[in-house]
Amino acid sequence: MDKLWTRDFTILTFGSVVSVFGNALASFAISLMVLDYSESVFLFVLFMVTFNLPRIFAPLLAGPLLDAFSRRKTIYTMDFVSAGLFIFLFFLLSGGFFNYPLLLALTFFKGTVDSIYFVAYESLYPVLVAKGNFRKAYSVSSMIMPLSAVMMPVAAFLYDTIGVAQILLYSSIAFLVAAVLETQIRVDETHLREDGEKYRFSEFTTSLREGIAYIKKEKGLQVITAYFFVAMFAFSSHSLLLPYFNETPGLSVMLYTLVMGAAVFGRFVGGAIQYKVELPKEKKFMIAMTVYIVSSFVEIGFLFTPVVIMAILMFTTGVLTVTSFNIRMSSTQDYIPDETRARYNGAFQMIMTLGTVSGQLIAGALAEVIPIRAVVVIYGTIVLMAAIFIMWRGRRHVIPIFNRNV
């Protein structure tokens, strides 16, 4: 078996860690600023929805293009753009300027940049993984986002001490470092078109249809996509947790960072376990299914428990959900041909974002008329029903995809 930590894989992983740290620091600080200025749960949720909106169309547009053009160049270009955007916001906010509509517009732009980046990243990542290393590679990938958890309490502390403008300056430096690192990737992108060959719009629309058609013809991918659409809808209720902790007596923003930090620390631990332990091929679907059921029950009840129990439950589901993430990502990315991967990832991300955005909007509206805990219970019940009536009922189509040696 070839080694996992090749030069290009190491560069992409390290660059991703740096950019994720910068993104997490800036995003949490800006979220706190919006919540303080707006003093409205709905306006806070609208800000988050605006960030996610581009993920409806941008991945679908980017997918076909990235199946023809350089994913490597796209990754570092998007990080350079993010660095420039945060520098601009730094100068804007340094003068004490705050304009909610302008911030929404810039957030929409950042969401577009991130959407394109993630399609390129998810499509390039498998190419840098040597055969037989998919399980370990996606264990590493699943640990990157949890590492950003340390930025939540740091962002909360820095927000109160140095202000959001300085935080954005540090974030722009992080993106700049990541982009420079990523320019050094030297992967041979075999999907690229030959020099001089033009990409006609008619081919683009054809490729776009092919991306959707690929999901339609694959029954297993249909079931997976349908379940995760509903799951993303339901788990979007987490957008209400920061306002809930901020407004509820006995709770606070710092306690929110600790509880959510426990969840992401759990994902980090789960990723480390996945890196070392190879799951039995024939049991992968049942393991994933168990995670979907357990995490649904936790979702329904965790806000009714003391903070310490919340943190324990979040840590536990973090360990479990990264296991199911690893199963889904490693198996589907190995299952899908390289020449189709970006189109599939683009279409999948678009559908997931439709679930997230619609879920956030409805959750924000419901939170204006009923308690936030009630909204979370309703959403948790929805994802439980999806696990039973979509994923379990469609198991015969999903098992051949999940139960693979990767």
Side-chain angles (χ1 to χ4, degrees), residues 45 54 62 78 377:
V45 171
M78 293 302 101
V377 168

Side-chain angles (χ1 to χ4, degrees), residues 170-198:
Y170 298 149
S171 295
S172 68
I173 294 172
F175 272 105
L176 188 61
V177 170
V180 171
L181 284 171
E182 289 155 353
T183 61
Q184 301 307 305
I185 295 174
R186 294 290 181 263
V187 64
D188 181 20
E189 297 186 86
T190 57
H191 70 283
L192 292 176
R193 289 168 172 258
E194 295 181 1
D195 291 341
E197 188 175 355
K198 294 182 178 179

Side-chain angles (χ1 to χ4, degrees), residues 112-163:
T112 304
V113 169
D114 283 3
S115 299
I116 296 170
Y117 173 91
F118 282 120
V119 175
Y121 176 86
E122 289 183 359
S123 302
L124 180 66
Y125 194 80
V127 178
L128 303 185
V129 179
K131 193 67 177 175
N133 286 288
F134 270 67
R135 174 184 58 84
K136 285 189 173 183
Y138 281 101
S139 297
V140 172
S141 178
S142 67
M143 288 189 285
I144 293 176
M145 286 304 293
L147 282 172
S148 68
V150 299
M151 292 295 103
M152 292 170 60
V154 172
F157 173 76
L158 293 178
Y159 180 78
D160 289 330
T161 54
I162 65 174

Side-chain angles (χ1 to χ4, degrees), residues 344-396:
Y344 165 79
N345 288 335
F348 185 84
Q349 287 298 328
M350 181 204 70
I351 294 168
M352 296 309 97
T353 305
L354 280 171
T356 298
V357 168
S358 56
Q360 286 177 328
L361 283 172
I362 295 172
L366 287 174
E368 296 290 325
V369 294
I370 64 174
I372 288 177
R373 285 201 299 188
V375 178
V376 175
V377 168
I378 292 169
Y379 274 44
T381 305
I382 289 172
V383 76
L384 176 61
M385 294 299 100
I388 296 170
F389 292 106
I390 297 177
M391 186 61 76
W392 180 250
R393 288 185 65 181
R395 63 189 180 279
R396 71 185 182 92

